Amino acid sequence: MQLVVARIGRAHGIKGEVTVEVRTDEPEVRLGPGAVLATDPPGTGPLTIETGRVHSGRLLLRFAGVSDRTGAEALRNTLLIAEVDPEELPDDPEEFYDHQLMDLDVVTEEGVEVGRITEISHLPSQDLFIVERPDGSEVMIPFVAEIVAEIDLDEQRAVITPPPGLIDDRAVIASARDAEQGEAGDGAPDSGADGAPDQAGEAR
């Protein structure tokens, strides 16, 4: 199985080094000296990592055969792709590879269906689940312990405890209205067949 592990950024200095946007939790394994990586676009690679070092919080790599700034700039925006055994698991049981998380069903602790993970976005500050909802809209869910309570690979689901407004801004308003109308005996507001508001709110 092929996984994107980094994206090449701008050239650094004049000796062929490039900055990279790391997209793996194991850069020391995937992006170490001697690693041979496929690329996107394919014609740029394969690339063999010659050296690697951290400078000002950024990983710098130099590839075999690339010895000047011109060659380094030509690699900009290239994706680096590693071949990974589908059965391989991270050393840390609390970490997961992207392919393990893709297509997981996302549900709340109460069992309410949220959608299906279609993409993992790796940002500098945190990772995000891009979740496709049943109506085709998307919501972004931060992959942090405060929100993602459990990843159950056996059941193929991610259980979340979303704060108010993360899944649907109007869900909070509707819930409050339900309670008020229930007390007044006016009945519940109009909703879809599953009892949820007809449209999903914008994800924050």
Side-chain angles (χ1 to χ4, degrees), residues 16-35:
E17 285 187 313
V18 295
T19 62
V20 295
E21 174 192 317
V22 177
R23 297 189 180 182
T24 171
D25 290 329
E26 299 175 312
E28 68 284 354
V29 176
R30 308 298 178 198
L31 300 171

Side-chain angles (χ1 to χ4, degrees), residues 109-131:
E109 286 190 315
E110 293 76 25
V112 177
E113 178 187 7
V114 177
R116 178 178 59 88
I117 298 175
T118 58
E119 182 182 344
I120 314 295
S121 178
H122 298 278
L123 304 180
S125 58
Q126 64 187 11
D127 295 335
L128 291 175
F129 291 161
I130 310 301
V131 178

Side-chain angles (χ1 to χ4, degrees), residues 1 21 23 42 45 54 59 62 84 86 102 108 134 151 156 159 165 198-199:
M1 172 176 286
E21 174 192 317
R23 297 189 180 182
V54 176
L59 179 62
R62 184 166 61 227
V84 178
M102 290 292 290
T108 67
I151 298 293
Q156 285 290 287
V159 181
D198 288 337
Q199 292 183 321

Side-chain angles (χ1 to χ4, degrees), residues 49 90 94 100 122 129 134 144 176 194:
I49 297 176
E94 297 301 316
Q100 294 177 285
H122 298 278
F129 291 161
V144 295
D194 58 359

Side-chain angles (χ1 to χ4, degrees), residues 14-135:
I14 61 173
K15 296 183 178 181
E17 285 187 313
V18 295
T19 62
V20 295
E21 174 192 317
V22 177
R23 297 189 180 182
T24 171
D25 290 329
E26 299 175 312
E28 68 284 354
V29 176
R30 308 298 178 198
L31 300 171
V36 180
L37 302 168
T39 60
D40 183 6
T44 305
L47 294 173
T48 300
I49 297 176
E50 194 167 81
T51 64
R53 65 187 179 97
V54 176
H55 175 73
S56 298
R58 297 295 300 273
L59 179 62
L60 303 179
L61 298 179
R62 184 166 61 227
F63 301 98
V66 180
S67 58
D68 58 26
R69 188 177 184 88
T70 300
E73 281 290 356
L75 299 175
R76 192 166 187 171
N77 292 323
T78 297
L79 296 178
L80 299 176
I81 303 169
E83 190 70 37
V84 178
D85 184 341
E87 301 301 319
E88 182 181 342
L89 299 176
D91 293 333
D92 187 339
E94 297 301 316
E95 293 181 354
F96 304 88
Y97 293 135
D98 285 6
H99 70 270
Q100 294 177 285
L101 301 171
M102 290 292 290
D103 291 324
L104 292 188
D105 293 324
V106 179
V107 298
T108 67
E109 286 190 315
E110 293 76 25
V112 177
E113 178 187 7
V114 177
R116 178 178 59 88
I117 298 175
T118 58
E119 182 182 344
I120 314 295
S121 178
H122 298 278
L123 304 180
S125 58
Q126 64 187 11
D127 295 335
L128 291 175
F129 291 161
I130 310 301
V131 178
E132 181 178 315
R133 307 196 68 174
D135 65 1

